[in-house]
Amino acid sequence: MGDGIHIPLESLQNGGNSPRAVSKPAQSETPGASQPRSAQESVAQHGTFFLETFGCQMNEHDSEKVAGVLLARGYRQVETPEAASLVLYNTCSIREKAAQKLFSRLGVYRDTLGKADGQPQKIGVLGCVAQQEGQAIFSRAPWVSLVCGSASYRNLPQLLARLESGEERVTGLDNDTDETFETELTRRDNPWRAYITIIEGCDKSCAYCVVPFTRGPERSRDSALVLAELRGLAERGYSEVQFLGQTVNSYADPSPRKMRFSELLVEAGQVPGIRRVRFTTSHPRDFTPDIVEAIDAHAAICNHVHLPVQSGSSRVLRAMQRTYSREEYLEKIALIRGAKRKVAVTTDIIVGFPGETEEDFQQTLGLLEEVKYEGVFSFKYSPRPNTPAASMPDAIPEEEKSRRLATLLEKQRAIQTVALGKLQNDMVEVHVDGKAKKENHWYGHSSCNRVVNFSSSDGGILGRYVPVRISGCTPNSLLGEHAAAL
Ligand code: SAM
Ligand code: SF4
């Protein structure tokens, strides 16, 4: 998360930057096999790979698909870079520190590229830093052999073939495409919750953001493909799906069905076996009443909306090119708060955008008070290359950004403490994600994505949905006990 701070009191995970829930056991699309039989039989072993991922859930899921491509080519995944003949870093460049992290990882290989599996090691950089830095990565780290941005993942099989045939510098940097990344095999990290990217890229142009440069233009996937993937997942036992997109609700079905985003949510919720459908990240401008109507009418659509506001000041929002004012944003919040079901709302906020005055910042604090978010992810503004904001005047000094961030955190913490206290004795349905260290204790998450730690003497609840009565909270989670019924 870079220097971003996550304060849903850790009790509510957002869509974009929340910590991973469960990373093991890895699930291949082919039940019971770490790689498909046909791949094992027909493709020569190319060696082993190690893949480390930085950044958001979209990156996490891209990595699941990249791993699928590699497994299908006959590679085997290993747990450490030392054991891998192909070491891959899937990078994020949203904030500066993430790129620094990559170059410190790459520095390890400066003097020696080892051998693994009897083959010389090769290093690849994937994702946003790859797209942003391009060929310059070869100058800064000449021992890197593959540089590939996310819009070129669809060409990975060809790029890998060139690497395998001995080419020393292979690039996939074309990001002006209308194609999406389709894979036959995805190696999934979580046995119950599956990600499905429904829209890639971004057509907005927020003044601070690198995503439109690094992920290319907006491309939506055919609704029939999305639903077929979901049915396949449900047949393999997945019960929760999370639709992903930088602006997930800008989804525009390219097929003749022209399904609206809300219709896709409804159809997804009707797939047999699917209990929960969540989606992230929604852009306020494209957030329409039919989405709230769908949440109200269909219990399977999760009652959580992550709706990044970025600032509470219309003046700053204009400078950020967010395409809505504070008042227009509050109208969207009113829509959500007007739902019959109680819907949790989380947000992202940037403090210290160039020219942000104390008065602007106070308006952001006022917005927190007004909306009473269930969770806030806050970030100090970080200037990014090629973005309009990077050359704006009146940069805010680092110490002042830190002060504003700390003030905002404190404010939100107080708001959440009051809100969490009110949940005492509520009943929630919890998906059981894992067993805690303490005997008879488990953890999971609710439909609105709160982390719940609870006690249960039933030893067979892993992966099930159970009713939990809330008995208290910590700064990091809700506490409760397994109950007989909701
Ligand atoms: N597409 C999403 C949206 O429109 O809100 C967000 C995508 S971005 C991966 C996640 C969050 O990172 C943003 O909501 C913003 O708060 C933060 N972010 C993006 N660029 C940033 C920058 N240059 N400095 C600080 N935070 C930034
Ligand atoms: Fe970046 Fe704005 Fe696109 Fe979100 S909507 S990815 S913040 S440009």
Side-chain angles (χ1 to χ4, degrees):
M1 284 197 31
D3 56 2
I5 304 238
H6 164 207
I7 46 160
L9 298 185
E10 269 73 35
S11 68
L12 197 79
Q13 300 176 336
N14 94 331
N17 295 287
S18 59
R20 316 292 315 115
V22 175
S23 60
K24 298 259 161 60
Q27 302 282 298
S28 120
E29 301 279 74
T30 310
S34 62
Q35 49 188 295
R37 182 179 288 271
S38 59
Q40 286 171 337
E41 284 167 357
S42 63
V43 183
Q45 270 287 343
H46 288 299
T48 47
F49 74 96
F50 168 83
L51 175 52
E52 183 175 358
T53 308
F54 303 93
C56 64
Q57 285 169 329
M58 291 217 57
N59 261 14
E60 291 283 350
H61 184 47
D62 282 347
S63 285
E64 293 182 330
K65 289 162 74 171
V66 167
V69 170
L70 287 156
L71 292 171
R73 283 188 80 72
Y75 285 82
R76 185 167 56 82
Q77 187 159 15
V78 291
E79 298 282 314
T80 61
E82 295 76 30
S85 58
L86 179 59
V87 178
L88 296 171
Y89 295 106
N90 185 4
T91 59
C92 163
S93 61
I94 275 288
R95 285 167 292 277
E96 199 179 5
K97 281 187 185 151
Q100 285 167 359
K101 218 188 258 179
L102 165 75
F103 284 107
S104 88
R105 288 285 196 288
L106 292 179
V108 169
Y109 306 95
R110 178 186 305 274
D111 299 321
T112 149
L113 272 188
K115 276 196 161 197
D117 255 9
Q119 303 186 34
Q121 276 189 316
K122 289 187 176 163
I123 314 290
V125 179
L126 311 176
C128 292
V129 179
Q131 189 66 47
Q132 189 175 288
E133 302 289 321
Q135 303 270 358
I137 292 179
F138 294 132
S139 318
R140 202 161 155 188
W143 50 93
V144 168
S145 317
L146 172 69
V147 174
C148 179
S150 66
S152 298
Y153 289 160
R154 65 195 195 287
N155 300 325
L156 260 182
Q158 297 90 306
L159 299 177
L160 287 167
R162 285 168 52 197
L163 200 64
E164 288 150 12
S165 72
E167 252 188 75
E168 287 183 359
R169 289 190 170 176
V170 177
T171 54
L173 293 171
D174 159 30
N175 78 345
D176 185 16
T177 177
D178 54 7
E179 286 179 47
T180 50
F181 178 29
E182 304 298 330
T183 49
E184 283 180 21
L185 179 74
T186 299
R187 199 236 44 182
R188 296 187 182 271
D189 283 341
N190 185 307
W192 304 290
R193 183 194 286 205
Y195 295 128
I196 297 185
T197 299
I198 64 165
I199 172 169
E200 296 180 14
C202 179
D203 276 355
K204 306 279 191 282
S205 41
C206 303
Y208 50 81
C209 185
V210 288
V211 168
F213 306 102
T214 58
R215 287 188 170 269
E218 216 169 83
R219 289 97 70 200
S220 293
R221 290 177 68 207
D222 185 318
S223 56
L225 283 182
V226 170
L227 290 167
E229 187 175 350
L230 182 57
R231 280 186 211 103
L233 288 165
E235 278 160 21
R236 283 191 293 278
Y238 288 89
S239 58
E240 180 170 322
V241 64
Q242 181 156 355
F243 286 151
L244 296 178
Q246 290 296 341
T247 54
V248 73
N249 57 327
S250 313
Y251 178 76
D253 185 4
S255 78
R257 270 192 83 175
K258 299 255 169 285
M259 209 182 250
R260 299 187 74 175
F261 173 64
S262 58
E263 290 170 328
L264 184 64
L265 294 179
V266 171
E267 285 230 6
Q270 287 167 350
V271 169
I274 294 299
R275 290 270 292 252
R276 288 181 179 173
V277 180
R278 52 181 85 249
F279 52 96
T280 197
T281 294
S282 295
H283 191 283
R285 204 184 74 188
D286 300 332
F287 198 86
T288 45
D290 53 313
I291 302 174
V292 177
E293 283 156 23
I295 295 175
D296 255 347
H298 300 273
I301 304 176
C302 290
N303 52 342
H304 172 211
V305 176
H306 185 63
L307 199 68
V309 65
Q310 313 300 357
S311 168
S313 152
S314 290
R315 201 186 67 80
V316 173
L317 288 172
R318 217 168 22 251
M320 286 177 164
Q321 293 166 207
R322 280 294 285 183
T323 70
Y324 53 82
S325 64
R326 175 193 174 102
E327 291 67 34
E328 285 162 337
Y329 179 85
L330 285 171
E331 282 168 21
K332 307 291 177 168
I333 294 292
L335 261 181
I336 301 170
R337 296 293 191 214
K340 293 196 269 306
R341 281 172 81 192
K342 187 161 169 29
V343 179
V345 187
T346 53
T347 201
D348 292 348
I349 288 177
I350 296 176
V351 297
F353 187 77
E356 183 189 66
T357 61
E358 180 59 28
E359 163 60 19
D360 292 320
F361 177 60
Q362 288 300 327
Q363 288 188 29
T364 299
L365 294 182
L367 187 88
L368 294 192
E369 197 60 65
E370 194 165 344
V371 177
K372 297 210 173 10
Y373 290 107
E374 276 75 8
V376 171
F377 291 76
S378 46
F379 310 96
K380 288 192 274 182
Y381 167 70
S382 165
R384 307 308 298 126
N386 305 320
T387 59
S391 51
M392 285 181 183
D394 303 322
I396 308 297
E398 247 347 269
E399 317 82 76
E400 179 56 16
K401 286 188 208 169
S402 301
R403 186 195 68 80
R404 290 183 191 177
L405 190 66
T407 309
L408 186 133
L409 284 167
E410 201 184 318
K411 174 109 192 150
Q412 179 61 18
R413 196 175 292 276
I415 291 169
Q416 285 181 202
T417 304
V418 173
L420 286 178
K422 289 186 184 156
L423 298 178
Q424 181 95 9
N425 285 326
D426 271 17
M427 296 293 296
V428 286
E429 187 188 68
V430 175
H431 178 268
V432 186
D433 295 323
K435 174 115 189 49
K437 282 195 192 119
K438 197 167 157 195
E439 204 184 337
N440 292 338
H441 277 72
W442 304 81
Y443 60 90
H445 63 282
S446 64
S447 167
C448 68
N449 225 13
R450 283 182 199 282
V451 173
V452 184
N453 291 305
F454 65 99
S455 58
S456 171
S457 52
D458 183 343
I461 56 175
L462 185 66
R464 279 179 25 207
Y465 292 83
V466 299
V468 170
R469 179 183 303 282
I470 300 305
S471 56
C473 64
T474 71
N476 297 320
S477 66
L478 286 172
L479 304 173
E481 289 123 29
H482 190 171
L486 275 183

